[in-house]
Amino acid sequence: MGAIFHDEIEIEDFKWDGNFFTYPCPCGDEFQITVEDLENGEDVATCPSCSLIVRVIYDDDSLEVAKALISSNSKNLPSMPLTA
């Protein structure tokens, strides 16, 4: 049986905290996923405080834009689509 996702969330809805892409979890903590995970094809963000998981929706273009924003020290990803 496959994983049961709480939701599917696009990468542009996540925030960059300096180490992880994060998104609020209903438990009060945050779902987290690293750039390295995304580069390796992982698309599951986990919450360290509960068992919920979400699928991160992204493509190569949106990941490259997000990485460029990270390198410019931006904490918040734009609210517009990250696709070219």
Side-chain angles (χ1 to χ4, degrees), residues 51-83:
S51 62
L52 293 178
I53 59 174
V54 294
R55 176 166 292 175
V56 181
I57 306 301
Y58 70 99
D59 59 22
D60 290 338
D61 290 337
S62 61
L63 181 58
E64 290 304 314
V65 170
K67 286 170 31 181
L69 290 169
I70 290 167
S71 67
S72 70
N73 294 320
S74 176
K75 293 285 186 188
N76 294 306
L77 299 181
S79 58
M80 67 184 111
L82 293 173
T83 54

PDB file of all heavy atoms in Angstrom, residues 51-83:
ATOM      1  N   SER A  51       2.733  12.402  12.325  1.00  0.00           N
ATOM      2  CA  SER A  51       2.911  11.413  11.255  1.00  0.00           C
ATOM      3  C   SER A  51       2.421  11.891   9.896  1.00  0.00           C
ATOM      4  O   SER A  51       2.493  11.140   8.916  1.00  0.00           O
ATOM      5  CB  SER A  51       2.184  10.119  11.625  1.00  0.00           C
ATOM      6  OG  SER A  51       0.793  10.374  11.760  1.00  0.00           O
ATOM      7  N   LEU A  52       1.949  13.130   9.789  1.00  0.00           N
ATOM      8  CA  LEU A  52       1.448  13.622   8.506  1.00  0.00           C
ATOM      9  C   LEU A  52       2.595  13.852   7.523  1.00  0.00           C
ATOM     10  O   LEU A  52       3.698  14.241   7.909  1.00  0.00           O
ATOM     11  CB  LEU A  52       0.679  14.923   8.694  1.00  0.00           C
ATOM     12  CG  LEU A  52      -0.633  14.832   9.467  1.00  0.00           C
ATOM     13  CD1 LEU A  52      -1.245  16.226   9.614  1.00  0.00           C
ATOM     14  CD2 LEU A  52      -1.606  13.875   8.812  1.00  0.00           C
ATOM     15  N   ILE A  53       2.286  13.617   6.252  1.00  0.00           N
ATOM     16  CA  ILE A  53       3.221  13.897   5.163  1.00  0.00           C
ATOM     17  C   ILE A  53       2.456  14.594   4.047  1.00  0.00           C
ATOM     18  O   ILE A  53       1.240  14.436   3.921  1.00  0.00           O
ATOM     19  CB  ILE A  53       3.907  12.617   4.628  1.00  0.00           C
ATOM     20  CG1 ILE A  53       2.879  11.606   4.112  1.00  0.00           C
ATOM     21  CG2 ILE A  53       4.801  11.995   5.683  1.00  0.00           C
ATOM     22  CD1 ILE A  53       3.475  10.391   3.436  1.00  0.00           C
ATOM     23  N   VAL A  54       3.171  15.391   3.260  1.00  0.00           N
ATOM     24  CA  VAL A  54       2.580  16.033   2.089  1.00  0.00           C
ATOM     25  C   VAL A  54       3.466  15.760   0.886  1.00  0.00           C
ATOM     26  O   VAL A  54       4.678  15.579   1.016  1.00  0.00           O
ATOM     27  CB  VAL A  54       2.395  17.558   2.268  1.00  0.00           C
ATOM     28  CG1 VAL A  54       1.371  17.868   3.335  1.00  0.00           C
ATOM     29  CG2 VAL A  54       3.698  18.265   2.552  1.00  0.00           C
ATOM     30  N   ARG A  55       2.837  15.745  -0.266  1.00  0.00           N
ATOM     31  CA  ARG A  55       3.595  15.626  -1.521  1.00  0.00           C
ATOM     32  C   ARG A  55       3.899  17.034  -2.009  1.00  0.00           C
ATOM     33  O   ARG A  55       3.027  17.890  -2.044  1.00  0.00           O
ATOM     34  CB  ARG A  55       2.786  14.883  -2.576  1.00  0.00           C
ATOM     35  CG  ARG A  55       3.524  14.845  -3.926  1.00  0.00           C
ATOM     36  CD  ARG A  55       2.935  13.874  -4.852  1.00  0.00           C
ATOM     37  NE  ARG A  55       3.221  12.565  -4.273  1.00  0.00           N
ATOM     38  CZ  ARG A  55       2.762  11.433  -4.767  1.00  0.00           C
ATOM     39  NH1 ARG A  55       2.016  11.426  -5.833  1.00  0.00           N
ATOM     40  NH2 ARG A  55       3.052  10.287  -4.186  1.00  0.00           N
ATOM     41  N   VAL A  56       5.164  17.264  -2.367  1.00  0.00           N
ATOM     42  CA  VAL A  56       5.607  18.558  -2.888  1.00  0.00           C
ATOM     43  C   VAL A  56       5.514  18.494  -4.411  1.00  0.00           C
ATOM     44  O   VAL A  56       6.102  17.614  -5.038  1.00  0.00           O
ATOM     45  CB  VAL A  56       7.049  18.874  -2.451  1.00  0.00           C
ATOM     46  CG1 VAL A  56       7.471  20.239  -2.981  1.00  0.00           C
ATOM     47  CG2 VAL A  56       7.175  18.807  -0.933  1.00  0.00           C
ATOM     48  N   ILE A  57       4.764  19.423  -4.973  1.00  0.00           N
ATOM     49  CA  ILE A  57       4.601  19.486  -6.422  1.00  0.00           C
ATOM     50  C   ILE A  57       5.615  20.482  -6.968  1.00  0.00           C
ATOM     51  O   ILE A  57       5.634  21.656  -6.567  1.00  0.00           O
ATOM     52  CB  ILE A  57       3.172  19.940  -6.800  1.00  0.00           C
ATOM     53  CG1 ILE A  57       2.118  19.063  -6.119  1.00  0.00           C
ATOM     54  CG2 ILE A  57       3.003  19.965  -8.315  1.00  0.00           C
ATOM     55  CD1 ILE A  57       2.199  17.607  -6.448  1.00  0.00           C
ATOM     56  N   TYR A  58       6.480  20.020  -7.843  1.00  0.00           N
ATOM     57  CA  TYR A  58       7.499  20.886  -8.438  1.00  0.00           C
ATOM     58  C   TYR A  58       7.990  20.252  -9.723  1.00  0.00           C
ATOM     59  O   TYR A  58       7.769  19.069  -9.981  1.00  0.00           O
ATOM     60  CB  TYR A  58       8.671  21.109  -7.478  1.00  0.00           C
ATOM     61  CG  TYR A  58       9.533  19.877  -7.260  1.00  0.00           C
ATOM     62  CD1 TYR A  58      10.732  19.720  -7.948  1.00  0.00           C
ATOM     63  CD2 TYR A  58       9.132  18.863  -6.394  1.00  0.00           C
ATOM     64  CE1 TYR A  58      11.514  18.592  -7.763  1.00  0.00           C
ATOM     65  CE2 TYR A  58       9.906  17.740  -6.202  1.00  0.00           C
ATOM     66  CZ  TYR A  58      11.091  17.608  -6.893  1.00  0.00           C
ATOM     67  OH  TYR A  58      11.853  16.482  -6.713  1.00  0.00           O
ATOM     68  N   ASP A  59       8.641  21.058 -10.544  1.00  0.00           N
ATOM     69  CA  ASP A  59       9.322  20.552 -11.724  1.00  0.00           C
ATOM     70  C   ASP A  59      10.737  21.117 -11.714  1.00  0.00           C
ATOM     71  O   ASP A  59      11.098  21.890 -10.822  1.00  0.00           O
ATOM     72  CB  ASP A  59       8.558  20.883 -13.017  1.00  0.00           C
ATOM     73  CG  ASP A  59       8.353  22.370 -13.231  1.00  0.00           C
ATOM     74  OD1 ASP A  59       9.105  23.187 -12.660  1.00  0.00           O
ATOM     75  OD2 ASP A  59       7.436  22.733 -13.977  1.00  0.00           O
ATOM     76  N   ASP A  60      11.533  20.724 -12.670  1.00  0.00           N
ATOM     77  CA  ASP A  60      12.935  21.163 -12.688  1.00  0.00           C
ATOM     78  C   ASP A  60      13.058  22.682 -12.743  1.00  0.00           C
ATOM     79  O   ASP A  60      13.904  23.271 -12.072  1.00  0.00           O
ATOM     80  CB  ASP A  60      13.689  20.540 -13.860  1.00  0.00           C
ATOM     81  CG  ASP A  60      13.909  19.045 -13.682  1.00  0.00           C
ATOM     82  OD1 ASP A  60      13.864  18.568 -12.529  1.00  0.00           O
ATOM     83  OD2 ASP A  60      14.120  18.351 -14.695  1.00  0.00           O
ATOM     84  N   ASP A  61      12.191  23.328 -13.536  1.00  0.00           N
ATOM     85  CA  ASP A  61      12.268  24.786 -13.656  1.00  0.00           C
ATOM     86  C   ASP A  61      11.955  25.467 -12.329  1.00  0.00           C
ATOM     87  O   ASP A  61      12.660  26.387 -11.914  1.00  0.00           O
ATOM     88  CB  ASP A  61      11.309  25.293 -14.738  1.00  0.00           C
ATOM     89  CG  ASP A  61      11.759  24.918 -16.137  1.00  0.00           C
ATOM     90  OD1 ASP A  61      12.963  24.675 -16.341  1.00  0.00           O
ATOM     91  OD2 ASP A  61      10.894  24.858 -17.036  1.00  0.00           O
ATOM     92  N   SER A  62      10.879  25.036 -11.660  1.00  0.00           N
ATOM     93  CA  SER A  62      10.517  25.682 -10.393  1.00  0.00           C
ATOM     94  C   SER A  62      11.571  25.417  -9.322  1.00  0.00           C
ATOM     95  O   SER A  62      11.834  26.273  -8.485  1.00  0.00           O
ATOM     96  CB  SER A  62       9.122  25.245  -9.917  1.00  0.00           C
ATOM     97  OG  SER A  62       9.064  23.863  -9.682  1.00  0.00           O
ATOM     98  N   LEU A  63      12.213  24.260  -9.355  1.00  0.00           N
ATOM     99  CA  LEU A  63      13.279  23.972  -8.394  1.00  0.00           C
ATOM    100  C   LEU A  63      14.480  24.878  -8.643  1.00  0.00           C
ATOM    101  O   LEU A  63      15.076  25.403  -7.700  1.00  0.00           O
ATOM    102  CB  LEU A  63      13.685  22.502  -8.448  1.00  0.00           C
ATOM    103  CG  LEU A  63      14.775  22.077  -7.471  1.00  0.00           C
ATOM    104  CD1 LEU A  63      14.367  22.373  -6.029  1.00  0.00           C
ATOM    105  CD2 LEU A  63      15.088  20.590  -7.640  1.00  0.00           C
ATOM    106  N   GLU A  64      14.833  25.094  -9.894  1.00  0.00           N
ATOM    107  CA  GLU A  64      15.958  25.977 -10.210  1.00  0.00           C
ATOM    108  C   GLU A  64      15.672  27.409  -9.767  1.00  0.00           C
ATOM    109  O   GLU A  64      16.546  28.085  -9.233  1.00  0.00           O
ATOM    110  CB  GLU A  64      16.293  25.925 -11.703  1.00  0.00           C
ATOM    111  CG  GLU A  64      16.910  24.609 -12.137  1.00  0.00           C
ATOM    112  CD  GLU A  64      18.160  24.239 -11.352  1.00  0.00           C
ATOM    113  OE1 GLU A  64      19.036  25.110 -11.148  1.00  0.00           O
ATOM    114  OE2 GLU A  64      18.257  23.080 -10.922  1.00  0.00           O
ATOM    115  N   VAL A  65      14.450  27.894  -9.970  1.00  0.00           N
ATOM    116  CA  VAL A  65      14.081  29.242  -9.533  1.00  0.00           C
ATOM    117  C   VAL A  65      14.156  29.321  -8.014  1.00  0.00           C
ATOM    118  O   VAL A  65      14.689  30.289  -7.453  1.00  0.00           O
ATOM    119  CB  VAL A  65      12.676  29.626 -10.044  1.00  0.00           C
ATOM    120  CG1 VAL A  65      12.201  30.916  -9.401  1.00  0.00           C
ATOM    121  CG2 VAL A  65      12.685  29.753 -11.554  1.00  0.00           C
ATOM    122  N   ALA A  66      13.650  28.310  -7.320  1.00  0.00           N
ATOM    123  CA  ALA A  66      13.697  28.295  -5.854  1.00  0.00           C
ATOM    124  C   ALA A  66      15.141  28.310  -5.359  1.00  0.00           C
ATOM    125  O   ALA A  66      15.479  29.028  -4.418  1.00  0.00           O
ATOM    126  CB  ALA A  66      12.955  27.078  -5.318  1.00  0.00           C
ATOM    127  N   LYS A  67      16.015  27.535  -6.000  1.00  0.00           N
ATOM    128  CA  LYS A  67      17.423  27.507  -5.600  1.00  0.00           C
ATOM    129  C   LYS A  67      18.086  28.858  -5.843  1.00  0.00           C
ATOM    130  O   LYS A  67      18.911  29.300  -5.037  1.00  0.00           O
ATOM    131  CB  LYS A  67      18.157  26.395  -6.341  1.00  0.00           C
ATOM    132  CG  LYS A  67      17.799  25.025  -5.812  1.00  0.00           C
ATOM    133  CD  LYS A  67      18.289  23.860  -6.611  1.00  0.00           C
ATOM    134  CE  LYS A  67      19.548  23.984  -7.351  1.00  0.00           C
ATOM    135  NZ  LYS A  67      19.924  22.791  -8.110  1.00  0.00           N
ATOM    136  N   ALA A  68      17.713  29.540  -6.915  1.00  0.00           N
ATOM    137  CA  ALA A  68      18.262  30.870  -7.182  1.00  0.00           C
ATOM    138  C   ALA A  68      17.818  31.849  -6.103  1.00  0.00           C
ATOM    139  O   ALA A  68      18.614  32.680  -5.642  1.00  0.00           O
ATOM    140  CB  ALA A  68      17.826  31.354  -8.564  1.00  0.00           C
ATOM    141  N   LEU A  69      16.575  31.756  -5.677  1.00  0.00           N
ATOM    142  CA  LEU A  69      16.086  32.624  -4.611  1.00  0.00           C
ATOM    143  C   LEU A  69      16.806  32.329  -3.294  1.00  0.00           C
ATOM    144  O   LEU A  69      17.114  33.241  -2.530  1.00  0.00           O
ATOM    145  CB  LEU A  69      14.579  32.461  -4.433  1.00  0.00           C
ATOM    146  CG  LEU A  69      13.731  33.025  -5.568  1.00  0.00           C
ATOM    147  CD1 LEU A  69      12.296  32.571  -5.432  1.00  0.00           C
ATOM    148  CD2 LEU A  69      13.831  34.535  -5.596  1.00  0.00           C
ATOM    149  N   ILE A  70      17.082  31.063  -3.044  1.00  0.00           N
ATOM    150  CA  ILE A  70      17.814  30.684  -1.835  1.00  0.00           C
ATOM    151  C   ILE A  70      19.190  31.325  -1.846  1.00  0.00           C
ATOM    152  O   ILE A  70      19.640  31.887  -0.855  1.00  0.00           O
ATOM    153  CB  ILE A  70      17.940  29.149  -1.725  1.00  0.00           C
ATOM    154  CG1 ILE A  70      16.576  28.538  -1.425  1.00  0.00           C
ATOM    155  CG2 ILE A  70      18.965  28.757  -0.673  1.00  0.00           C
ATOM    156  CD1 ILE A  70      16.551  27.033  -1.616  1.00  0.00           C
ATOM    157  N   SER A  71      19.864  31.256  -2.983  1.00  0.00           N
ATOM    158  CA  SER A  71      21.219  31.804  -3.055  1.00  0.00           C
ATOM    159  C   SER A  71      21.225  33.319  -2.915  1.00  0.00           C
ATOM    160  O   SER A  71      22.229  33.899  -2.554  1.00  0.00           O
ATOM    161  CB  SER A  71      21.910  31.372  -4.346  1.00  0.00           C
ATOM    162  OG  SER A  71      21.275  31.955  -5.460  1.00  0.00           O
ATOM    163  N   SER A  72      20.069  33.961  -3.160  1.00  0.00           N
ATOM    164  CA  SER A  72      19.984  35.411  -2.968  1.00  0.00           C
ATOM    165  C   SER A  72      19.500  35.753  -1.560  1.00  0.00           C
ATOM    166  O   SER A  72      19.156  36.887  -1.285  1.00  0.00           O
ATOM    167  CB  SER A  72      19.056  36.031  -4.015  1.00  0.00           C
ATOM    168  OG  SER A  72      17.713  35.665  -3.769  1.00  0.00           O
ATOM    169  N   ASN A  73      19.452  34.719  -0.684  1.00  0.00           N
ATOM    170  CA  ASN A  73      19.074  34.872   0.719  1.00  0.00           C
ATOM    171  C   ASN A  73      17.627  35.281   0.928  1.00  0.00           C
ATOM    172  O   ASN A  73      17.290  35.893   1.926  1.00  0.00           O
ATOM    173  CB  ASN A  73      19.994  35.867   1.435  1.00  0.00           C
ATOM    174  CG  ASN A  73      21.398  35.344   1.533  1.00  0.00           C
ATOM    175  OD1 ASN A  73      21.611  34.162   1.776  1.00  0.00           O
ATOM    176  ND2 ASN A  73      22.364  36.216   1.321  1.00  0.00           N
ATOM    177  N   SER A  74      16.759  34.936   0.000  1.00  0.00           N
ATOM    178  CA  SER A  74      15.344  35.229   0.162  1.00  0.00           C
ATOM    179  C   SER A  74      14.719  34.204   1.103  1.00  0.00           C
ATOM    180  O   SER A  74      14.920  33.011   0.953  1.00  0.00           O
ATOM    181  CB  SER A  74      14.641  35.167  -1.199  1.00  0.00           C
ATOM    182  OG  SER A  74      13.259  35.355  -1.043  1.00  0.00           O
ATOM    183  N   LYS A  75      13.966  34.655   2.103  1.00  0.00           N
ATOM    184  CA  LYS A  75      13.302  33.747   3.042  1.00  0.00           C
ATOM    185  C   LYS A  75      11.959  33.265   2.503  1.00  0.00           C
ATOM    186  O   LYS A  75      11.513  32.184   2.810  1.00  0.00           O
ATOM    187  CB  LYS A  75      13.074  34.435   4.387  1.00  0.00           C
ATOM    188  CG  LYS A  75      14.351  34.738   5.117  1.00  0.00           C
ATOM    189  CD  LYS A  75      14.932  33.512   5.720  1.00  0.00           C
ATOM    190  CE  LYS A  75      16.140  33.872   6.569  1.00  0.00           C
ATOM    191  NZ  LYS A  75      16.857  32.745   7.022  1.00  0.00           N
ATOM    192  N   ASN A  76      11.289  34.099   1.732  1.00  0.00           N
ATOM    193  CA  ASN A  76       9.976  33.748   1.226  1.00  0.00           C
ATOM    194  C   ASN A  76      10.035  33.549  -0.270  1.00  0.00           C
ATOM    195  O   ASN A  76      10.517  34.408  -1.002  1.00  0.00           O
ATOM    196  CB  ASN A  76       8.948  34.836   1.540  1.00  0.00           C
ATOM    197  CG  ASN A  76       8.715  34.962   3.012  1.00  0.00           C
ATOM    198  OD1 ASN A  76       8.398  33.995   3.677  1.00  0.00           O
ATOM    199  ND2 ASN A  76       8.884  36.169   3.525  1.00  0.00           N
ATOM    200  N   LEU A  77       9.518  32.446  -0.713  1.00  0.00           N
ATOM    201  CA  LEU A  77       9.413  32.217  -2.137  1.00  0.00           C
ATOM    202  C   LEU A  77       8.278  33.069  -2.665  1.00  0.00           C
ATOM    203  O   LEU A  77       7.342  33.379  -1.945  1.00  0.00           O
ATOM    204  CB  LEU A  77       9.147  30.724  -2.400  1.00  0.00           C
ATOM    205  CG  LEU A  77      10.242  29.796  -1.913  1.00  0.00           C
ATOM    206  CD1 LEU A  77       9.889  28.359  -2.235  1.00  0.00           C
ATOM    207  CD2 LEU A  77      11.571  30.140  -2.545  1.00  0.00           C
ATOM    208  N   PRO A  78       8.339  33.470  -3.922  1.00  0.00           N
ATOM    209  CA  PRO A  78       7.282  34.331  -4.446  1.00  0.00           C
ATOM    210  C   PRO A  78       5.939  33.612  -4.468  1.00  0.00           C
ATOM    211  O   PRO A  78       5.882  32.381  -4.553  1.00  0.00           O
ATOM    212  CB  PRO A  78       7.758  34.656  -5.866  1.00  0.00           C
ATOM    213  CG  PRO A  78       8.687  33.552  -6.212  1.00  0.00           C
ATOM    214  CD  PRO A  78       9.325  33.120  -4.911  1.00  0.00           C
ATOM    215  N   SER A  79       4.870  34.389  -4.394  1.00  0.00           N
ATOM    216  CA  SER A  79       3.544  33.793  -4.428  1.00  0.00           C
ATOM    217  C   SER A  79       3.116  33.462  -5.840  1.00  0.00           C
ATOM    218  O   SER A  79       2.143  32.782  -6.057  1.00  0.00           O
ATOM    219  CB  SER A  79       2.527  34.727  -3.784  1.00  0.00           C
ATOM    220  OG  SER A  79       2.524  35.967  -4.450  1.00  0.00           O
ATOM    221  N   MET A  80       3.862  33.949  -6.824  1.00  0.00           N
ATOM    222  CA  MET A  80       3.553  33.622  -8.202  1.00  0.00           C
ATOM    223  C   MET A  80       4.183  32.275  -8.564  1.00  0.00           C
ATOM    224  O   MET A  80       5.101  31.814  -7.900  1.00  0.00           O
ATOM    225  CB  MET A  80       4.073  34.717  -9.122  1.00  0.00           C
ATOM    226  CG  MET A  80       5.584  34.808  -9.169  1.00  0.00           C
ATOM    227  SD  MET A  80       6.133  36.171 -10.162  1.00  0.00           S
ATOM    228  CE  MET A  80       6.788  37.214  -8.893  1.00  0.00           C
ATOM    229  N   PRO A  81       3.679  31.631  -9.616  1.00  0.00           N
ATOM    230  CA  PRO A  81       4.265  30.345 -10.021  1.00  0.00           C
ATOM    231  C   PRO A  81       5.751  30.488 -10.314  1.00  0.00           C
ATOM    232  O   PRO A  81       6.192  31.494 -10.852  1.00  0.00           O
ATOM    233  CB  PRO A  81       3.485  29.989 -11.289  1.00  0.00           C
ATOM    234  CG  PRO A  81       2.206  30.756 -11.183  1.00  0.00           C
ATOM    235  CD  PRO A  81       2.557  32.016 -10.422  1.00  0.00           C
ATOM    236  N   LEU A  82       6.505  29.482  -9.940  1.00  0.00           N
ATOM    237  CA  LEU A  82       7.957  29.511 -10.145  1.00  0.00           C
ATOM    238  C   LEU A  82       8.358  28.954 -11.502  1.00  0.00           C
ATOM    239  O   LEU A  82       9.528  28.855 -11.790  1.00  0.00           O
ATOM    240  CB  LEU A  82       8.655  28.703  -9.049  1.00  0.00           C
ATOM    241  CG  LEU A  82       8.558  29.281  -7.647  1.00  0.00           C
ATOM    242  CD1 LEU A  82       9.148  28.302  -6.644  1.00  0.00           C
ATOM    243  CD2 LEU A  82       9.268  30.596  -7.558  1.00  0.00           C
ATOM    244  N   THR A  83       7.411  28.583 -12.321  1.00  0.00           N
ATOM    245  CA  THR A  83       7.736  28.014 -13.623  1.00  0.00           C
ATOM    246  C   THR A  83       8.115  29.108 -14.586  1.00  0.00           C
ATOM    247  O   THR A  83       7.654  30.249 -14.473  1.00  0.00           O
ATOM    248  CB  THR A  83       6.560  27.203 -14.190  1.00  0.00           C
ATOM    249  OG1 THR A  83       5.413  28.035 -14.205  1.00  0.00           O
ATOM    250  CG2 THR A  83       6.301  25.980 -13.357  1.00  0.00           C
TER     251      THR A  83
END
